[in-house]
Amino acid sequence: ISWFTDSMKEGRPVAVETRHLIPDSLPGGSTPTAVAPVSQYACQRRTTTENNNKIITDAFEVLAESYEFNEIEGPCLAFRRAASVLKSLPWAVCSLEATLDLPCLGEHTKAVIDEILQCGRAFEVEKILSDERYQTLKLFTSVFGVGPKTAEKWYRRGLRSFSDVLADHSVQLNRMQQTGFLHYGDISRAVSKAEARALRNIIDEAVHAIAPDAVLALTGGFRRGKEFGHDVDFIVTTTELGKEESLLPRIIRRLTKQGILLYCDYQASTFDMSKLPSYRFEAMDHFAKCFLILRLEGSQVEEGLHIAEGDSRGWRAVRVDLVSPPMDRYAFALLGWSGSRQFERDLRRFARVERHMLLDNHALYDKTKKEFLAATTEKDIFAHLGLEYIEPWQRNA
Ligand code: DCT
Ligand code: MG
């Protein structure tokens, strides 16, 4: 999880799309054909990892990130939503007319699409990409433990490169940032699916040696079928309620003994059901979790390590996140950690705006009935929300 770079709040409610008819455009065709409109909510769209509009969505993501660096929330969210809509399309946008019936596209987004369709690129995006401030903030935030606030502080001090930062005596790096610089090459390199599988085996072995009734689930981007990720996310718990409390500390001890734990930031649970529902937007849930860096041996990865050419160490460092919710919160935690971020934002927004319910990683609360809705599977949660079930591999919004 890289919540440092995700300070976005959920947006304002927008009117829900309704079903409509578009006339058949075939010559002589007079019967109108019903076409399901694209929903403004990502949780009502199916988005696989196949993106037919990558040139446009990449451009939108640069614009969104630039607005985020400048703390301008509205346009940032608008570009993220627009990118997400285009990612869900089974076709490539090749004219502005084709986007007429699509939600979440405003004047600004359409102008960028138009320019890309005509020239293959957008001036505004090129300008951002060559901007020194954008480049520097992008570089600094690529370090584990460095968020936009710290990056901005270093930029304002006149620092422009890693060597500037490391040579500046007034800069005090915390433990996370020191580790971030130490393992920068490995951590900034994508983790492959084969590496994620190898890590699953390592965690699986550790968890089951500790608790035979342990439950382990791969979550995050790899659960959505992505080929590469910036980390590997797992949920670990036990069927016996309360026993999950000791699970992460014991896993951490075991990994330490094995000599493969390069970094560990453990956060004990602050979860308290009596403090729910939470009306505040919170970036993080209250479950016990740990942010780790593990040493992965090449011999453990079936297809070999995803490393730079000429790297002969035979191992690499990989970021791994473990979350440990109590078993009765499992479905909510799994849904929340499976992502994508945009999918999660829209699930919560849909629940609030369309259903008068509050959804987070802990629970689903019905504000009308004033009660919590129980769920043991993700399907239960979709059903409570009156949503068609969307498979994890269709949540790449
Ligand atoms: N998440 C969320 N809101 C956030 C941060 C994270 O809902 N502010 C959820 C969605 C994804 C999940 O947590 C794990 O986070 P990441 O590992 O950062 O995302 P990812 O989808 O796994 O992406 P990557 O493949 O780059 O790891
Ligand atoms: Mg991840």
Side-chain angles (χ1 to χ4, degrees):
I1 197 157
S2 53
W3 73 98
F4 303 101
T5 53
D6 193 82
S7 60
M8 289 301 308
K9 306 280 189 300
E10 289 164 78
R12 304 255 160 274
V14 195
V16 68
E17 296 284 309
T18 47
R19 205 156 253 279
H20 65 200
L21 298 172
I22 344 182
D24 194 342
S25 59
L26 287 173
S30 55
T31 37
T33 315
V35 174
V38 177
S39 170
Q40 60 144 319
Y41 293 107
C43 53
Q44 290 185 306
R45 304 190 293 255
R46 294 174 200 273
T47 313
T48 66
T49 51
E50 190 187 315
N51 179 357
N52 296 300
N53 293 288
K54 194 165 184 307
I55 297 175
I56 301 173
T57 60
D58 282 352
F60 284 3
E61 271 153 20
V62 169
L63 287 158
E65 196 171 32
S66 165
Y67 282 115
E68 187 173 21
F69 285 153
N70 293 317
E71 291 177 87
I72 307 173
E73 280 190 17
C76 171
L77 192 58
F79 276 107
R80 292 238 158 94
R81 283 205 186 136
S84 177
V85 165
L86 297 187
K87 283 182 192 172
S88 76
L89 301 178
W91 43 276
V93 169
C94 47
S95 73
L96 261 194
E97 292 73 60
T99 66
L100 273 179
D101 290 307
L102 298 177
C104 311
L105 300 181
E107 291 292 311
H108 195 174
T109 52
K110 286 197 176 175
V112 175
I113 295 177
D114 195 27
E115 210 184 327
I116 292 176
L117 291 176
Q118 295 197 32
C119 329
R121 52 197 183 151
F123 176 72
E124 203 184 343
V125 177
E126 302 283 302
K127 211 173 92 187
I128 293 167
L129 289 174
S130 62
D131 176 62
E132 190 184 31
R133 186 180 125 88
Y134 174 85
Q135 287 177 354
T136 312
L137 295 185
K138 187 89 185 143
L139 177 74
F140 290 169
T141 54
S142 74
V143 179
F144 176 56
V146 180
K149 291 261 146 37
T150 305
E152 174 75 39
K153 196 170 76 189
W154 291 350
Y155 180 79
R156 268 195 268 114
R157 260 187 222 173
L159 311 177
R160 297 291 180 267
S161 65
F162 289 165
S163 41
D164 286 351
V165 173
L166 297 171
D168 189 321
H169 294 296
S170 66
V171 169
Q172 284 283 342
L173 298 178
N174 63 29
R175 196 173 66 95
M176 199 183 235
Q177 294 159 347
Q178 285 172 19
T179 315
F181 278 111
L182 186 63
H183 297 291
Y184 184 78
D186 277 346
I187 296 175
S188 59
R189 177 174 286 271
V191 183
S192 72
K193 213 183 232 182
E195 288 170 334
R197 261 197 305 271
L199 285 158
R200 194 204 162 95
N201 292 340
I202 293 169
I203 304 294
D204 192 67
E205 192 272 329
V207 176
H208 283 102
I210 291 161
D213 67 333
V215 177
L216 172 69
L218 176 69
T219 177
F222 286 108
R223 182 167 185 242
R224 302 196 307 275
K226 275 175 59 173
E227 289 296 325
F228 291 97
H230 92 282
D231 67 359
V232 194
D233 308 287
F234 296 99
I235 293 189
V236 288
T237 185
T238 59
T239 50
E240 194 182 319
L241 213 56
K243 211 171 116 188
E244 80 283 347
E245 294 267 344
S246 63
L247 203 51
L248 291 185
R250 292 175 71 190
I251 295 172
I252 291 164
R253 244 173 284 144
R254 195 179 166 90
L255 297 173
T256 310
K257 269 200 205 128
Q258 291 174 338
I260 60 171
L261 192 64
L262 301 175
Y263 173 86
C264 172
D265 174 9
Y266 169 69
Q267 301 185 357
S269 168
T270 53
F271 175 65
D272 181 351
M273 197 63 200
S274 69
K275 297 226 170 85
L276 295 183
S278 167
Y279 286 81
R280 273 187 314 135
F281 173 85
E282 285 169 296
M284 257 299 138
D285 61 49
H286 292 271
F287 301 132
K289 55 180 74 69
C290 55
F291 308 110
L292 311 175
I293 297 177
L294 296 185
R295 180 186 163 112
L296 181 63
E297 298 294 332
S299 57
Q300 294 172 301
V301 185
E302 244 172 60
E303 289 153 47
L305 288 172
H306 183 233
I307 44 172
E309 226 172 288
D311 182 344
S312 58
R313 290 171 305 164
W315 66 276
R316 68 164 288 186
V318 193
R319 279 270 301 111
V320 173
D321 288 345
L322 307 179
V323 203
S324 189
M327 197 58 200
D328 61 344
R329 304 290 106 208
Y330 179 79
F332 298 102
L334 181 64
L335 180 60
W337 276 78
S338 292
S340 67
R341 272 144 211 261
Q342 195 58 36
F343 191 88
E344 301 299 331
R345 276 190 204 114
D346 278 4
L347 260 178
R348 296 189 291 259
R349 188 165 63 95
F350 178 87
R352 194 185 61 233
V353 177
E354 304 298 332
R355 300 291 185 249
H356 224 60
M357 293 180 185
L358 293 172
L359 174 71
D360 61 19
N361 288 4
H362 316 103
L364 177 62
Y365 181 74
D366 187 324
K367 290 200 275 181
T368 316
K369 293 186 188 157
K370 294 195 171 59
E371 65 181 29
F372 288 101
L373 306 176
T376 52
T377 65
E378 288 180 318
K379 283 191 175 131
D380 294 341
I381 304 171
F382 280 88
H384 282 314
L385 291 168
L387 283 171
E388 275 178 40
Y389 182 65
I390 308 285
E391 298 284 353
W393 51 273
Q394 299 170 325
R395 298 182 201 161
N396 289 288

